[in-house]
Amino acid sequence: MPVTQDQLKQIKTFIYEKACKVGFQGARVSDISTSGYFEAFKQWVDDGFHGDMSFLERNQNLREFPPQLHPNTCRVISLRYDYLPVNASFTKPLKDTSLANISRYALGKDYHKLLRKKLSRLCDALRTHFNQIEDIDTRVFVDSAPVLETAFAEKSGIGWKGKHSLIINEAAGSWFFLAEIFINLPLALDEPVKDKCGSCNACIKLCPTDAIIGNKKVDATRCISYLTIENKGPIPLELRSKIGNRVYGCDDCQLACPWNRYASVSSEPAFLPMQNLGASRLLELWNWTEEDFNTNLQGSPIRRIGYQAWLRNLAVGIGNGPFAPDIISQLEKKKPDANDMVLEHINWAIEELINKNGQQLNLQAKTKKLINCVESMLARDA
Ligand code: SF4
């Protein structure tokens, strides 16, 4: 028996209410067409802005046509989950370059498993509640398959795509994760919202590596998040001094964004900073052994980059930080544990510390501007 309009309405309401109960802050429905979005994505990949993320080159048909990824899908439900930890300082690691500056989404536990579990609970509850309807079919995604997630989030009205290419919600800013449920029911569609970036260019101006190369277009090969997380090789020499103390990801475009003055902090305990990661000294992290790295970061997304990439990033951070007499010997001490790539970064850091170059001044000027921008935003809203 076909599902009635009335049942579809009830199902949508149930999904929205249950999504909130399991912890999501928003859920909205879009159709499955990727028209316009897919072409733009494909062009971005063809232009090489995805760097070495070869997984973005594969499975293009699945990305373009959701039913090829999961048969009979006719709607995408996009959901958002706030992650800004309650005690994450906005400016401390920007002001004190001897601290490690770690992207706020990575201060606590990895979100993939947590969100996937919540989505599965939601879908199980849906099937149980509407058990008189046969064949409700769903599949859940958390950053785990070829899904054009920002396209669906934008189409559904979760928010608009900012010039920095992240989704912004008018009431909640951009500090949230996205997740999706593919479903085989023709739920009523939600409307997209208006792009409200207007004439603002704050994220473009304040990006430390000038990675935002156009409206909603980021050159990943210049983006600090890519360089310190996805990138397996050396960090390009010309970008190292611009990275400053950002050792895992970068939040600067989000910090600069005026819409984030409306961001709410997450009440999710799993996202509270582990191991004091919100304010750890670079040298303290540098002195972790590989065993410490694996033990201390159990359950953290940072562990996925591996110890050598972690040392690579820290070497760059330390090289960009303040000089102190014992730092050189601490850098030297790690050489026996380092692979060739890390060794080269250690040597670079030592050289940098001894002989700072002009780019550092440029970074400091940008960072100072960013701190002023965030502080005046916070002061205005206090
Ligand atoms: S900083 Fe300005 S331009 Fe960038 S995403 Fe936010 S509102 Fe849009």
Side-chain angles (χ1 to χ4, degrees):
M1 209 167 54
V3 186
T4 65
Q5 284 304 319
D6 206 39
Q7 283 172 319
L8 288 173
K9 228 171 157 182
Q10 288 171 28
I11 288 171
K12 190 169 165 180
T13 307
F14 180 88
I15 291 171
Y16 286 6
E17 288 176 0
K18 194 70 189 172
C20 286
K21 276 194 192 133
V22 300
F24 290 93
Q25 285 74 39
R28 290 172 73 93
V29 175
S30 66
D31 66 20
I32 54 170
S33 165
T34 59
S35 175
Y37 296 93
F38 177 75
E39 292 77 2
F41 169 78
K42 176 108 184 10
Q43 189 60 55
W44 180 78
V45 171
D46 290 347
D47 289 341
F49 293 130
H50 65 310
D52 290 334
M53 294 185 280
S54 55
F55 61 91
L56 295 176
E57 295 163 17
R58 297 192 289 270
N59 298 314
Q60 297 295 26
N61 56 325
L62 308 186
R63 210 179 294 277
E64 186 174 10
F65 303 110
Q68 290 197 16
L69 182 58
H70 189 68
N72 301 320
T73 296
C74 69
R75 292 289 184 265
V76 177
I77 304 163
S78 294
L79 303 100
R80 69 174 193 86
Y81 200 98
D82 291 339
Y83 65 74
L84 190 63
V86 68
N87 50 357
S89 165
F90 283 102
T91 54
K92 210 168 163 186
L94 285 168
K95 282 179 177 166
D96 184 347
T97 55
S98 68
L99 297 181
N101 192 347
I102 293 173
S103 186
R104 281 150 190 79
Y105 88 84
L107 294 175
K109 299 267 186 206
D110 197 335
Y111 63 97
H112 292 88
K113 259 197 215 155
L114 180 94
L115 264 58
R116 178 174 275 279
K117 252 192 212 160
K118 288 176 184 289
L119 290 177
S120 300
R121 247 168 66 202
L122 197 168
C123 294
D124 289 346
L126 175 70
R127 268 184 286 274
T128 308
H129 193 83
F130 293 96
N131 60 3
Q132 76 281 19
I133 302 173
E134 278 175 25
D135 302 330
I136 297 184
D137 188 34
T138 56
R139 183 163 164 195
V140 304
F141 299 95
V142 184
D143 213 5
S144 54
V147 175
L148 282 177
E149 61 170 7
T150 55
F152 295 119
E154 197 170 29
K155 277 164 70 94
S156 71
I158 283 276
W160 74 93
K161 197 172 189 178
K163 288 179 187 167
H164 51 19
S165 88
L166 301 168
I167 297 293
I168 304 175
N169 180 286
E170 185 167 359
S174 61
W175 304 101
F176 52 79
F177 297 120
L178 291 171
E180 298 77 36
I181 300 173
F182 282 13
I183 192 163
N184 62 341
L185 299 174
L187 302 172
L189 301 177
D190 289 314
E191 291 291 317
V193 294
K194 200 172 165 285
D195 181 330
K196 293 195 173 170
C197 278
S199 58
C200 174
N201 274 321
C203 54
I204 296 174
K205 278 196 236 149
L206 290 168
C207 173
T209 52
D210 301 312
I212 307 172
I213 51 169
N215 189 7
K216 307 175 201 286
K217 201 176 192 183
V218 172
D219 178 355
T221 65
R222 297 188 67 83
C223 173
I224 295 174
S225 287
Y226 166 82
L227 293 169
T228 56
I229 301 173
E230 301 293 343
N231 169 36
K232 307 276 179 278
I235 294 176
L237 270 173
E238 70 277 14
L239 296 177
R240 287 186 196 170
S241 61
K242 300 183 179 202
I243 288 176
N245 58 344
R246 297 163 187 83
V247 296
Y248 189 93
C250 173
D251 288 335
D252 289 21
C253 60
Q254 298 196 81
L255 286 171
C257 181
W259 290 99
N260 270 332
R261 77 178 72 149
Y262 304 117
S264 32
V265 292
S266 171
S267 55
E268 174 57 61
F271 297 157
L272 289 173
M274 305 166 65
Q275 303 290 339
N276 189 34
L277 284 178
S280 291
R281 305 231 149 256
L282 287 162
L283 278 179
E284 183 192 328
L285 302 178
W286 177 254
N287 284 317
W288 282 0
T289 62
E290 185 161 7
E291 200 184 336
D292 294 335
F293 171 80
N294 286 322
T295 312
N296 295 342
L297 297 179
Q298 180 82 39
S300 155
I302 300 173
R303 221 175 89 154
R304 287 193 295 146
I305 65 168
Y307 185 57
Q308 294 296 326
W310 176 241
L311 288 181
R312 173 199 65 189
N313 297 349
L314 287 168
V316 171
I318 294 168
N320 286 326
F323 179 83
D326 68 321
I327 294 182
I328 307 288
S329 62
Q330 299 213 42
L331 284 167
E332 293 278 0
K333 221 168 64 188
K334 266 291 179 230
K335 284 188 172 176
D337 298 339
N339 66 18
D340 287 351
M341 176 187 69
V342 177
L343 211 53
E344 185 271 313
H345 285 72
I346 294 176
N347 288 332
W348 173 87
I350 292 172
E351 207 175 306
E352 272 304 287
L353 284 168
I354 294 169
N355 182 22
K356 297 264 174 198
N357 66 28
Q359 282 175 313
Q360 182 72 7
L361 299 172
N362 186 25
L363 168 75
Q364 281 165 356
K366 273 192 171 179
T367 304
K368 200 163 169 232
K369 222 166 160 191
L370 179 65
I371 291 169
N372 290 343
C373 164
V374 175
E375 283 183 343
S376 65
M377 215 142 67
L378 293 173
R380 248 199 330 268
D381 299 327

